Amino acid sequence: RRAERPSLRLVLNIEGSAQPFFVPVVERMLIGRSADEVDINLAGFGAMNNGISRVHAAFVYEEGALFLEDLNSTNGTRINGYELNPHQRYRLRNGDEIELGSLRLTIQLVRAPG
């Protein structure tokens, strides 16, 4: 299906959650609140109340860099307060704050122990 990079993990620190969310890094990771349609399901983090679309955005890992792309979501996506244009990729850096609708999270790309 997708070329997995077992050595990398995406760590999402979601506002209001005590536990970070770990995601194995693949080429394209869809994020939203529909278990059937996305790789990173935020339904358990109040996604509906925070205005997260069923398929809201995508993390894209390409050429050693991580990008975020808004997939024309209803309530928008921001990086460090900057509103993203739909279907455009924006490079992410460790510690960036992302807002999906009104849900805030910070990201970290780390090597998995192994």
Side-chain angles (χ1 to χ4, degrees):
R1 169 167 121 92
R2 296 177 197 184
E4 187 169 329
R5 288 160 182 79
S7 61
L8 291 176
R9 296 282 178 268
L10 185 59
V11 183
L12 306 176
N13 289 295
I14 300 170
E15 191 176 68
S17 173
Q19 297 297 317
F21 196 75
F22 295 90
V23 183
V25 171
V26 294
E27 207 171 273
R28 189 170 171 85
M29 300 158 278
L30 297 176
I31 185 166
R33 61 175 169 82
S34 170
D36 297 342
E37 299 175 75
V38 299
D39 305 296
I40 303 168
N41 182 3
L42 297 175
F45 298 95
M48 180 76 102
N49 293 338
N50 283 296
I52 294 177
S53 298
R54 280 185 7 261
V55 180
H56 194 99
F59 288 112
V60 179
Y61 186 77
E62 194 173 80
E63 296 170 14
L66 185 67
F67 298 86
L68 182 62
E69 177 184 344
D70 179 85
L71 299 175
N72 206 24
S73 64
T74 303
N75 295 302
T77 303
R78 285 165 295 290
I79 300 172
N80 300 325
Y82 178 82
E83 183 85 30
L84 306 189
N85 291 314
H87 304 294
Q88 236 178 292
R89 289 182 184 172
Y90 296 83
R91 179 143 188 204
L92 290 170
R93 289 176 174 70
N94 279 346
D96 277 350
E97 182 184 85
I98 296 169
E99 289 174 81
L100 304 161
S102 60
L103 183 70
R104 280 198 178 110
L105 50 112
T106 57
I107 62 119
Q108 200 96 28
L109 195 60
V110 299
R111 284 203 183 285

